[in-house]
Amino acid sequence: MVARPPDSISKPLPSVVIVGRPNVGKSTLFNAILRQRRSIVGDEPGITRDRIQGEAEHRGRRFDLIDTGGIIPNDDELIPSEILKQARVALDRAAHIIFLIDGRTEITGTDRELAKMLRQLGKPVSLAVNKIDTLARESLTPEFYALGFPDVFSVSSEHRLGLDDLLDHVTQGFETSAEALEPAPEQRAIKVAIIGRPNVGKSTLLNALVGQERAIVSPVAGTTRDAVDERVLRDGVEFVFVDTAGIRRKGKTKEMAEKLSVVMARRHIRMANVVVLVLDASEGMVALDATIAGYAHEEGRALILCVNKWDVSSEKNRRAFTESVRDGLKFLDYAQIVFVSAKTGAGVQRLFGTIRDAYEAASKRVTTGELNRFVEMLDFDRDIKIYYMTQAGVRPPTFIAFTDKAKNMHFSTERFLINQLRKRFGFGGTPIEIKTKRR
């Protein structure tokens, strides 16, 4: 196992950073450019706190896109000052900066202070005037040249208007390559979120996986608040492990920092390819474990149940413990169970292969021809007739069944079909989604 910083694994991509004051639509723009929901969007200002990163591509030019928290210069409060600190790290490394402002409001003092700060950096800046979704509003754009940036673009992040012109300008100097146009799936890192309730050993497990003290480990529950991530190269496969904050019951989460940590943890579940749910063998299954597992299942993530602290558990019968886990998590019958001791390292190395297997299962595609032969062989004496099936997507594997009725399948029928798909094609470690359409 080799643990390396990101830059030593692959050539770093140019970085594009989105900045602006709170609630101008940075996260919406971030999601629109990535063409997926990666950053939380809401009406409440200041939802995004730390840097959120994703890999984007425009006309064959790949780049790292970074969403920062809303910046308020010269604010001495803890959270705003920390957001500015996080943003400065990203800005120092930026190849290009997108300065986003709200086109529906007048230029504010915060906009002017932020513009002054950006000009002092001496980096290329594109001013994106957001929420311009009508011709009437587009006529307001020229007034924003007063901020001193020559490159001004009218956009609507929500409706994806004006993004091509903006990105043509932002990426014009970036390298275009065949690899960028057709990225090889095997070269993509497997993103793994380590989740669980507080103090089950998530940070200890991360340290064991990467072979170094990457995350702070403490007996105090809730030590981890911001997600900690680390890249590991193992047998030619790159893994990105994210140690998330412990998820508590809603009634037990009082401090704003903890509430944001829970929101962040749930977002990292959504961003992950594979989720490792850490259970505490010394305490056994509890109701909160099932709740947290439900978050991953609802997002359609491939999932592994990692039973930690097996070395100090009073329950040494793996079969009995497995049965108790299966009984408490009936909806995760597809998830493999791995017993480890993150503290001693026992069983930890097995996780790499299990994660890879789950990722490959979640990424598996079945041809329409194979699915049609599968349908023909089904012993399907049910209240709905399936004419044929096709696979619509992966991660999770999603199938469309064309039927004789304009209604969803009964739960038992859907369950039977999923079990038969697993029996025929595998798909171990990942949920399966079935959608129906009337032929």
Side-chain angles (χ1 to χ4, degrees), residues 1 3 205-214 232:
M1 178 180 66
L205 178 62
L206 175 69
N207 292 340
L209 287 164
V210 305
Q212 58 178 293
E213 295 297 315
R214 178 62 178 84
V232 178

Side-chain angles (χ1 to χ4, degrees), residues 178-404:
E179 180 186 0
L181 291 169
E182 297 184 14
E186 62 270 19
Q187 293 179 346
R188 291 188 177 277
I190 301 175
K191 299 174 184 177
V192 185
I194 303 172
I195 67 171
R197 51 192 170 87
N199 218 29
V200 294
K202 299 183 297 299
S203 298
T204 307
L205 178 62
L206 175 69
N207 292 340
L209 287 164
V210 305
Q212 58 178 293
E213 295 297 315
R214 178 62 178 84
I216 299 173
V217 176
S218 165
V220 178
T223 299
T224 301
R225 282 187 170 176
D226 292 316
V228 177
D229 65 283
E230 182 72 8
R231 294 175 182 251
V232 178
L233 193 64
R234 171 84 175 200
D235 297 330
V237 179
E238 185 181 352
F239 299 82
V240 179
F241 291 100
V242 180
D243 172 26
T244 64
I247 300 175
R248 303 173 185 266
R249 290 191 299 274
K250 288 184 178 180
K252 297 291 185 181
T253 309
K254 296 179 180 178
E255 293 185 19
M256 179 56 69
E258 289 184 352
K259 289 181 178 179
L260 288 171
S261 295
V262 172
V263 171
M264 293 289 289
R266 294 192 62 175
R267 180 177 62 195
H268 282 289
I269 291 172
R270 187 166 57 250
M271 292 167 59
N273 301 130
V274 180
V275 171
V276 176
L277 172 60
V278 182
L279 307 174
D280 190 332
S282 64
E283 297 181 6
M285 268 285 302
V286 300
L288 183 56
D289 291 327
T291 301
I292 297 170
Y295 296 151
H297 179 75
E298 289 167 7
E299 293 292 346
R301 301 301 92 184
L303 193 138
I304 296 163
L305 301 173
C306 178
V307 182
N308 189 29
K309 306 183 185 180
W310 190 244
D311 55 323
V312 298
S313 172
S314 58
E315 172 61 76
K316 292 301 180 182
N317 187 332
R318 291 196 181 193
R319 178 175 295 181
F321 197 94
T322 297
E323 288 177 357
S324 70
V325 171
R326 292 296 186 200
D327 186 58
L329 300 172
K330 287 186 171 68
F331 60 96
L332 295 183
D333 55 351
Y334 56 82
Q336 188 166 342
I337 300 177
V338 179
F339 290 84
V340 307
S341 169
K343 188 175 182 179
T344 66
V348 171
Q349 300 308 308
R350 183 186 169 197
L351 271 173
F352 285 98
T354 309
I355 291 167
R356 186 171 183 176
D357 290 345
Y359 175 76
E360 290 175 352
S363 306
K364 180 185 293 186
R365 286 190 178 274
V366 182
T367 66
T368 301
E370 289 178 293
L371 287 171
N372 287 338
R373 288 190 289 273
F374 163 75
V375 170
E376 289 173 2
M377 296 174 63
L378 275 179
D379 181 14
F380 202 75
D381 185 17
R382 304 274 168 167
D383 65 340
I384 191 169
K385 179 177 177 59
I386 298 178
Y387 293 107
Y388 57 95
M389 291 179 64
T390 184
Q391 185 171 357
V394 295
R395 296 193 293 274
T398 303
F399 298 89
I400 299 177
F402 292 84
T403 68
D404 62 338

